[in-house]
Amino acid sequence: MTTPVSSDSKGFTLLEFLVALVILTFGILALLQSVNLAISHNMTNQLRLEGAMVADSVLATELSKGGTTAGFAAISTVTSKLLISQKVMNGFRNYSVTKVGSSVTDNTKRVDVVVAWRYKKDRFQHGASTLISKIQ
């Protein structure tokens, strides 16, 4: 004769506990991956913002030259490259800046700035340009 199983037994079996543990582990790993992805996107956006600020700074320097005849003549129409180290969050990042100047008319010059940087083996760049006219 078999003994009937009591229907009011409470608690988890070992197998139920292991299945719950596996499900919980996958949930935690997915949450950690989403945090990692959010940090990566945040850093990419921060680097882009700093790159735009570097380009703006270079253009502001060129714009400050253009008011007078002597300053307008000082705006170079050749390609120049420089490396700028910019503080980003708790460290420094290197930005490669390429500045290209060209004469549009006798009284107007165009300045193009391309700022490039690397993050996680990917290359990013930001471009900006302006026209500078000589005050007559």
Side-chain angles (χ1 to χ4, degrees):
M1 179 157 213
T2 61
T3 56
V5 177
S6 173
S7 63
D8 60 347
S9 62
K10 297 180 179 171
F12 286 107
T13 65
L14 183 59
L15 184 60
E16 289 171 332
F17 175 73
L18 289 176
V19 169
L21 191 62
V22 167
I23 292 171
L24 185 64
T25 302
F26 279 122
I28 289 174
L29 287 175
L31 182 64
L32 288 174
Q33 183 62 28
S34 67
V35 168
N36 187 24
L37 187 64
I39 289 172
S40 177
H41 280 294
N42 186 26
M43 188 63 172
T44 301
N45 289 336
Q46 187 68 30
L47 290 172
R48 184 181 306 119
L49 175 67
E50 293 295 330
M53 289 173 58
V54 167
D56 185 53
S57 173
V58 171
L59 284 179
T61 303
E62 292 299 312
L63 281 169
S64 67
K65 296 177 186 176
T68 64
T69 304
F72 186 78
I75 298 172
S76 177
T77 57
V78 297
T79 301
S80 63
K81 294 184 178 189
L82 61 134
L83 190 65
I84 295 177
S85 183
Q86 184 80 9
K87 185 174 182 184
V88 178
M89 292 187 181
N90 293 328
F92 287 89
R93 290 284 179 168
N94 291 327
Y95 289 91
S96 172
V97 179
T98 304
K99 183 178 67 166
V100 179
S102 59
S103 291
V104 177
T105 65
D106 290 340
N107 295 326
T108 306
K109 291 184 181 179
R110 178 183 173 133
V111 178
D112 296 311
V113 175
V114 176
V115 179
W117 64 94
R118 290 195 177 277
Y119 178 63
K120 287 190 173 181
K121 298 181 183 178
D122 290 329
R123 186 174 188 272
F124 298 93
Q125 67 181 20
H126 176 78
S129 63
T130 188
L131 293 173
I132 303 172
S133 297
K134 177 173 48 174
I135 298 174
Q136 298 178 3

